[in-house]
Amino acid sequence: MPSEATGRDYVGEALARVERMTRTITAALAERGFQPVEPAIMQPADILLELYGEDIRRRAFIFQDETHGELCLRPDYTAPVARHFLASGATHARFAYAGPVFRRMASGDPRPAQFLQIGMESYGDPDLAGADAAMFDLTARALDWAGVRGARAMTGDLGIAFAVLDAVTMPESWRQRLKRHFWRPRRFRELLHGFVGENDADGDAGRIAFLKAIGSLGEAQARDAIEEMLAMADTPHIGARSPEAIARRFLAQARDAQAHPMSAEVAALIESILAVRCPLDQALDRLTEPCRAAGVRLDAALTRFERRLQALAGRGVDLSATGFDAAFGRNLEYYDGFVFEFTQGEARLAGGGRYDRMMSALGATSAVTAIGAALRPEIILSLEGAI
Amino acid sequence: MTTDKLRLGLPSKGRLQEQMIEFFAEAGIKIVKARNERQYAGSLQGVPGVELVFLQAGEIPRELARGEIHLGVTGEDLIRERISDWARKVALLKPLGFGHADLIVAVPKCWVDVATMADLDDVAAAFRADHGHPLRVATKYLNSARLFFQEKGVADYRLVESQGATEGAPATETAEVIVDITSSGETLRANHLKVLEDGLILRSQAQLCASLVAAWGPGARAALGLFLRQIEARERAREAAVVRALIDRRSLETVEAALAAAGAVLGQRPAATSIGLAAIRCPRAAVAEVVALLSDCGARGIEVTRPDMVFEAESETHRAFIARLG
């Protein structure tokens, strides 16, 4: 059986190089107000399961311990550092970290399961555009301190996609489904085409006709019809889901069945926004134009976008040399706003983004802004040929 | 392991063992259990170079994955559930036609608003909001359930490992949804559950499985070849009939094309232009057609028999497996 790498052993010169890079970057970050933090490597697994669901078991090392219950080896620093911050009760803070994280790789993937990250998180900065640009710039500087030259930058904005979905008129259940499946591009596209009526997916004609009939009844009449249907089929109610919840959703489905299919123009608008890929200095026009043509207002999201461009330019970032891809960040399920990464050839050297919404999933009682980034020192050093 | 015998894993007791012994017996492979019923030992006759290894039925997937046995009979559902990255470790050589069971996703029948996994996805999101904890799915098939839900894009749920009767979980409110094996559907009906329209995870049956990681010496490889030859000879025979008739050679030639079109194979033809014996092997469903063709061209003494075994030159399954071993 081929054995995949678990992680590197460091000794001698290689160890010295890694330690030197770590010291340089974390010292510079400390000077800029990023407090060093080293959360526990072993974390309770329930947080991960809450955030990502059962699927995380394939991607993280989760194990059962008699005394401590279900534990995991931290797959990244973001969740542990965020929890530490929330527990502190502070309203804003900045942290820096450096150390190993652990991820299960798919079978046949040669990448090691244990690797190093050097990173930073910034919480509670109310100036969203400013904080986005600052984190982007700081990541670029950190690469500079690490001796990297000529890395390419790519950015995205997941907030734009969600703003389009919010701005367009459609049944709420459709909107929720599209948002939930935004992270699965193929399913998202299937859903969209289904709403336009292009596939005959989601059930037989008989059921749809029945739903349409129920949907034209008043609420009380519809509930009666459902009860009668169940009684005729000799079906008792069982389980924790209440009859009211079932009837409520059934009625919502019935009303949706009466909804007009999504117009092809609206679906095309959504797809065209997600297809925008260009240098960052052209992105605002490329996003604004289809919205204007379709009569869809995206004012708040586009204003935020513009402010961020200004903040980036203000820090000397060359927007024409920076990429924009509206679908970028779509496979990273906890980012919800600005996302970015720095690459050299095929190698991904650093990446980061905004994740305000994850903070409430982690237990924040009031809204907290959060943005962070991490570098991959081993990839950087191996590109140099140093390890 | 110093011998180069083919190690065949056999369940030590139970229905699966009975069905397996019967299946092999029909193929001319006789498994003789030791005199003492409780002693897990026995011998195999009909194929030389095979060693029997008695195991708990549930252990067979693991022993195949480890290469401790070369061959075993077990349900496809267990292979997929119990062995991580199973396709690299185990080859499914042959479905055996018994042990049928479907692995399915079922919900309470009173969920009139739920017909598909997509509906379940919607319900899961609302359930968490209503109840403060995620939708629970009870199952013994943790890995298979996880993979299926991930493929269908349902993420907001929690698995609950089932210790006993999985189908009772929704009624006792220990879970809302189940993933379970069903054969007749009777248990589901009795528990007021229904299978989702797209909730079929796997149509499972007993499979003859071979380990890709065991040490396959020349002896074991040869024994596998003989094993498969016997089984396939029986398989072919089950579908086949032999039609014998006295017929004149020229008349036979006039219907040869039609016979071939009916799936018939000419095994024996009359010697010269005189009337002689022809033997034609064909699928059982084609017997009536073959008999009609022959009698239309004057054949007499038409006899139809069913063969016990039909041997071919090489087992394609064997060839393909040996090629995979490299």
Side-chain angles (χ1 to χ4, degrees):
Chain A
M1 284 297 293
S3 73
E4 278 90 14
T6 45
R8 294 188 59 116
D9 294 338
Y10 283 99
V11 74
E13 181 59 30
L15 180 57
R17 293 296 302 266
V18 168
E19 288 184 330
R20 202 170 348 167
M21 182 182 294
T22 304
R23 265 198 314 271
T24 306
I25 297 176
T26 51
L29 289 173
E31 274 174 33
R32 285 165 172 72
F34 285 80
Q35 186 189 1
V37 69
E38 176 56 26
I41 288 181
M42 276 196 313
Q43 296 272 328
D46 60 349
I47 302 298
L48 284 187
L49 289 165
E50 272 301 302
L51 284 178
Y52 304 112
E54 288 285 334
D55 196 48
I56 194 66
R57 290 184 196 274
R58 288 190 313 129
R59 296 185 282 150
F61 290 99
I62 295 183
F63 51 94
Q64 193 63 246
D65 176 77
E66 264 175 43
T67 318
H68 302 285
E70 253 185 336
L71 297 170
C72 72
L73 299 179
R74 65 184 182 210
D76 61 29
Y77 273 85
T78 305
V81 173
R83 284 181 61 218
H84 170 83
F85 166 72
L86 289 172
S88 76
T91 51
H92 58 274
R94 301 158 134 197
F95 294 103
Y97 55 81
V101 296
F102 309 86
R103 295 192 194 161
R104 292 183 66 187
M105 296 295 168
S107 170
D109 190 330
R111 294 178 295 173
Q114 171 179 335
F115 59 91
L116 297 172
Q117 280 189 336
I118 304 174
M120 47 273 194
E121 312 286 344
S122 168
Y123 304 108
D125 188 336
D127 175 11
L128 298 180
D132 288 349
M135 186 56 69
F136 179 91
D137 187 41
L138 188 58
T139 309
R141 278 176 202 275
L143 285 171
D144 213 53
W145 301 328
V148 173
R149 299 287 173 266
R152 261 199 345 267
M154 172 59 76
T155 67
D157 188 340
L158 299 171
I160 298 274
F162 277 69
V164 172
L165 293 175
D166 279 332
V168 160
T169 309
M170 67 172 98
E172 191 53 32
S173 64
W174 293 8
R175 198 192 321 277
Q176 291 307 319
R177 275 196 201 175
L178 287 170
K179 283 184 172 180
R180 251 196 333 268
H181 291 282
F182 180 73
W183 317 102
R184 293 172 203 97
R186 195 168 27 115
R187 178 121 181 84
F188 183 90
R189 211 175 314 126
E190 276 169 17
L191 281 171
L192 209 54
H193 292 173
F195 295 150
V196 173
E198 271 171 29
N199 14 315
D200 255 342
D202 281 58
D204 54 291
R207 182 159 181 268
I208 293 175
F210 178 67
L211 281 173
K212 284 193 169 167
I214 296 271
S216 61
L217 299 175
E219 184 146 326
Q221 284 174 298
R223 227 182 289 277
D224 288 343
I226 294 168
E227 265 180 44
E228 215 181 286
M229 194 174 75
L230 288 175
M232 279 197 307
D234 213 6
T235 304
H237 174 265
I238 61 165
R241 210 174 153 231
S242 68
E244 288 71 41
I246 295 169
R248 209 185 315 134
R249 184 163 175 275
F250 193 65
L251 282 171
Q253 275 190 318
R255 271 183 231 113
D256 284 354
Q258 296 204 313
H260 294 296
M262 181 182 283
S263 79
E265 288 76 36
V266 163
L269 170 68
I270 294 170
E271 289 193 307
S272 69
I273 293 288
L274 288 173
V276 171
R277 204 175 291 137
C278 61
L280 191 51
D281 62 340
Q282 298 170 18
L284 189 58
D285 286 342
R286 295 277 299 271
L287 291 169
T288 311
E289 193 36 54
C291 293
R292 201 204 337 261
V296 167
R297 313 279 310 254
L298 235 53
D299 298 352
L302 290 174
T303 307
R304 263 201 308 274
F305 192 84
E306 194 169 8
R307 276 206 215 110
R308 186 191 306 129
L309 291 180
Q310 287 161 358
L312 284 167
R315 285 178 174 271
V317 174
D318 181 356
L319 301 182
S320 67
T322 305
F324 175 79
D325 179 348
F328 177 63
R330 234 176 140 174
N331 58 335
L332 302 163
E333 206 170 317
Y334 64 70
Y335 290 138
D336 53 48
F338 182 51
V339 282
F340 59 89
E341 79 174 4
F342 291 84
T343 54
Q344 204 161 64
E346 288 300 306
R348 193 176 168 275
L349 309 180
R354 177 169 291 285
Y355 54 96
D356 299 350
R357 239 175 290 164
M358 183 171 99
M359 299 304 280
S360 49
L362 283 172
T365 44
S366 54
V368 179
T369 62
I371 183 166
L375 284 75
R376 297 287 298 266
E378 289 159 302
I379 296 181
I380 295 168
L381 286 169
S382 74
L383 279 182
E384 277 178 44
I387 61 169
Chain B
M1 257 180 293
T2 48
T3 65
D4 187 16
K5 288 197 168 195
L6 182 145
R7 293 164 59 80
L8 170 66
L10 184 68
S12 46
K13 57 183 161 76
R15 178 130 180 78
L16 187 62
Q17 189 206 59
E18 286 167 22
Q19 285 171 310
M20 211 182 135
I21 290 177
E22 194 184 314
F23 181 86
F24 287 148
E26 288 196 5
I29 298 167
K30 195 165 173 200
I31 290 171
V32 180
K33 291 195 278 192
R35 270 198 192 285
N36 180 353
E37 275 295 322
R38 277 208 260 120
Q39 201 186 335
Y40 300 141
S43 63
L44 184 144
Q45 299 162 12
V47 174
V50 177
E51 187 184 313
L52 288 182
V53 180
F54 286 85
L55 297 163
Q56 306 271 31
E59 289 178 321
I60 292 177
R62 190 192 64 210
E63 297 303 284
L64 284 165
R66 282 190 189 161
E68 291 295 322
I69 56 175
H70 295 97
L71 277 188
V73 170
T74 184
E76 188 181 344
D77 59 321
L78 292 183
I79 293 284
R80 288 172 179 272
E81 174 62 25
R82 300 270 177 90
I83 306 174
S84 67
D85 204 19
W86 66 271
R88 291 213 292 174
K89 301 174 191 171
V90 174
L92 302 176
L93 292 185
K94 274 193 184 301
L96 299 178
F98 57 87
H100 291 279
D102 290 346
L103 185 61
I104 50 89
V105 182
V107 303
K109 204 165 164 224
C110 65
W111 288 15
V112 294
D113 61 326
V114 174
T116 62
M117 290 294 287
D119 289 324
L120 197 59
D121 187 38
D122 284 352
V123 166
F127 188 88
R128 176 195 276 275
D130 284 346
H131 294 255
H133 64 81
L135 191 81
R136 295 162 302 175
V137 178
T139 186
K140 296 184 184 72
Y141 291 82
L142 299 172
N143 296 309
S144 306
R146 213 172 276 135
L147 192 58
F148 186 72
F149 273 57
Q150 191 244 335
E151 281 167 12
K152 293 290 182 178
V154 180
D156 205 355
Y157 71 99
R158 187 73 73 251
L159 282 179
V160 173
E161 188 168 4
S162 170
Q163 301 300 333
T166 311
E167 332 71 37
T172 56
E173 298 193 15
T174 46
E176 285 61 63
V177 176
I178 66 162
V179 167
D180 200 16
I181 277 280
T182 181
S183 23
S184 62
E186 204 29 63
T187 321
L188 291 175
R189 273 191 291 277
N191 283 275
H192 311 295
L193 299 172
K194 63 177 176 181
V195 180
L196 294 181
E197 277 170 20
D198 57 349
L200 175 66
I201 300 177
L202 175 69
R203 246 240 143 113
S204 178
Q205 62 178 293
Q207 294 263 355
L208 182 67
C209 306
S211 172
L212 288 164
V213 301
W216 284 90
R221 290 176 191 226
L224 178 67
L226 293 173
F227 212 85
L228 286 172
R229 261 191 50 169
Q230 294 289 125
I231 290 173
E232 287 174 5
R234 177 83 197 115
E235 261 178 0
R236 267 183 227 106
R238 256 191 228 113
E239 294 300 308
V242 175
V243 182
R244 280 192 187 73
L246 287 171
I247 189 170
D248 133 338
R249 190 187 177 95
R250 278 168 308 181
S251 307
L252 184 60
E253 279 163 8
T254 62
V255 291
E256 253 185 89
L259 286 173
V265 171
L266 196 57
Q268 177 184 1
R269 66 174 75 239
T273 52
S274 59
I275 291 174
L277 192 64
I280 293 149
R281 177 159 49 90
C282 67
R284 287 185 192 177
V287 162
E289 192 182 340
V290 168
V291 167
L293 282 169
L294 291 174
S295 45
D296 282 351
C297 62
R300 293 189 332 263
I302 301 175
E303 249 178 46
V304 179
T305 55
R306 290 179 171 182
D308 290 328
M309 311 273 243
V310 176
F311 286 88
E312 297 273 345
E314 208 199 343
S315 160
E316 172 55 29
T317 304
H318 184 246
R319 192 207 59 76
F321 181 73
I322 298 299
R324 262 189 93 174
L325 286 179

